């Protein structure tokens, strides 16, 4: 079914997107038009994710220009050529009122090669920044379940919370992360034909531990496969989750919105 036939779902939050990296061709190059399309779909808030220090000014500029957008600061675990961020740098940037989290950080062994030690060093810097600032971590993890959890326990000291974004790991990892105070964010991958194991995880987890996201401009959900992803398509993620949980989509929107502001409380509307 074409998404255009669906009514808007009020109060949706896209908890992880890269607004600074969108190709706006579909909107005639008009960023405002893309944002209007998101609002018309019911998206009320977005978190624009930092992936390196070089592009952080652009991420921050988007957040400063739009009251419904907040930002994170971090260096993605696959951006090896980007300059590593020190804990002190991350803490300093996190003082900005629109920065609500540290990351995107984490471990990705799928592409890390034989020596992931450089990822470990960077991950520790981010964990320590989260401890010092009290801000949550936005974590990317792939094929690194045991080490991700172990490093959070070792360096987080029980004081760090956050989210495992674009989750594709197993239920055991999700439950271990939730026990540590983390949330699990579900992307458009949940709609993919080969994602039944992830759908089983979503069925098993309580809604109070879930967020939804697009990870725009990547991973467009069904029925938008082959297109660039963008925040308005988080509605399709919400509909899929609602179907898996057997609840109205409005309930998913409300729960994930409340979860978002409980975790990223610096972004909470005043």
């Amino acid at each position: 079914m074409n998404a255009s036939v669906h009514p808007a779902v009020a109060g949706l939050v896209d908890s992880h997107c890269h607004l600074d990296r969108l190709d706006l061709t579909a909107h005639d190059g008009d960023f405002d038009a893309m944002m209007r399309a998101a609002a018309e779909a019911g998206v009320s808030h977005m978190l624009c994710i930092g992936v390196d220090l070089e592009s952080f000014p652009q991420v921050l500029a988007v957040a400063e220009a739009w009251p419904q957008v907040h930002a994170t600061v971090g260096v993605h675990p696959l951006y090896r050529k980007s300059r590593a961020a020190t804990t002190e740098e991350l803490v300093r940037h996190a003082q900005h009122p629109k920065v609500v989290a540290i990351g995107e950080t984490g471990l990705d062994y799928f592409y890390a090669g034989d020596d992931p030690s450089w990822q470990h060093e960077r991950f520790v810097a981010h964990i320590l920044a989260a401890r010092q600032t009290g801000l949550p971590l936005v974590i990317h993890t792939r094929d690194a379940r045991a080490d991700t959890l172990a490093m959070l326990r070792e360096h987080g000291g029980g004081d760090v919370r956050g989210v495992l974004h674009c989750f594709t790991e197993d239920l055991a990892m999700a439950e271990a992360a939730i026990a540590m105070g983390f949330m699990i964010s579900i992307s458009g991958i949940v709609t993919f034909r080969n994602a039944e194991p992830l759908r089983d995880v979503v069925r098993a987890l309580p809604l109070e531990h879930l967020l939804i996201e697009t990870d725009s401009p990547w991973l467009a959900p069904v029925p938008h496969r082959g297109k660039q992803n963008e925040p308005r398509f988080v509605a399709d993620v919400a509909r899929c989750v609602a179907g898996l949980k057997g609840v109205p989509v409005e309930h998913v929107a409300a729960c994930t919105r409340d979860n978002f502001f409980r975790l990223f409380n610096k972004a909470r509307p005043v």
Side-chain angles (χ1 to χ4, degrees):
M1 180 179 293
N2 190 294
S4 64
V5 305
H6 290 294
V9 181
L12 290 165
V13 173
D14 186 352
S15 68
H16 191 112
C17 54
H18 302 272
L19 299 176
D20 60 311
R21 293 172 183 260
L22 288 172
D23 179 346
L24 299 171
T25 301
H27 300 282
D28 296 323
D30 187 346
F31 191 90
D32 291 7
M34 183 276 297
M35 294 294 281
R36 285 196 300 272
E40 289 167 2
V43 181
S44 63
H45 290 84
M46 300 163 229
L47 186 55
C48 188
I49 304 297
V51 295
D52 58 26
L53 296 183
E54 291 83 357
S55 63
F56 177 65
Q58 288 74 43
V59 170
L60 196 56
V62 174
E64 289 175 329
W66 296 88
Q68 68 269 47
V69 178
H70 284 78
T72 73
V73 60
V75 180
H76 193 288
L78 292 179
Y79 282 45
R80 188 171 189 173
K81 293 182 179 180
S82 295
R83 183 172 65 81
T86 66
T87 296
E88 292 73 23
E89 285 179 295
L90 294 167
V91 169
R92 185 173 70 252
H93 288 308
Q95 303 312 306
H96 192 285
K98 296 292 299 235
V99 174
V100 301
I102 305 296
E104 175 173 359
T105 183
L107 302 175
D108 189 321
Y109 290 175
F110 188 81
Y111 292 110
D114 296 331
D115 180 16
S117 59
W118 63 276
Q119 286 191 357
H120 291 190
E121 293 170 3
R122 294 182 175 200
F123 192 23
V124 170
H126 287 74
I127 296 171
L128 295 179
R131 288 189 71 175
Q132 290 186 32
T133 60
L135 294 180
L137 280 169
V138 175
I139 293 179
H140 169 112
T141 181
R142 187 175 184 187
D143 292 352
R145 298 172 186 174
D147 284 356
T148 298
L149 294 171
M151 292 182 69
L152 287 171
R153 293 188 183 103
E154 177 182 358
H155 301 285
D159 299 325
V160 173
R161 58 204 170 90
V163 57
L164 303 189
H165 107 90
C166 196
F167 191 79
T168 56
E169 304 297 333
D170 61 12
L171 180 60
M173 184 181 194
E175 291 177 334
I178 288 169
M180 296 169 62
F182 281 74
M183 291 189 183
I184 306 300
S185 185
I186 306 302
S187 72
I189 291 175
V190 75
T191 70
F192 294 3
R193 183 177 59 184
N194 63 349
E196 193 60 29
L198 176 58
R199 287 189 282 274
D200 287 339
V201 171
V202 173
R203 292 184 185 102
L205 293 178
L207 265 176
E208 57 262 33
H209 299 303
L210 296 182
L211 299 176
I212 54 176
E213 64 171 273
T214 61
D215 204 13
S216 308
W218 305 285
L219 302 175
V222 174
H224 310 288
R225 299 296 290 141
K227 299 179 182 178
Q228 177 183 245
N229 205 359
E230 56 182 271
R232 62 185 168 128
F233 296 156
V234 77
D236 297 284
V237 180
R239 291 186 188 98
C240 182
V241 171
L244 295 171
K245 306 298 285 183
V247 299
V249 66
E250 293 80 7
H251 182 61
V252 170
C255 285
T256 54
R257 179 184 66 241
D258 290 348
N259 295 344
F260 178 86
F261 288 118
R262 187 167 70 251
L263 179 61
F264 301 107
N265 52 38
K266 192 177 172 182
R268 188 180 296 275
V270 295

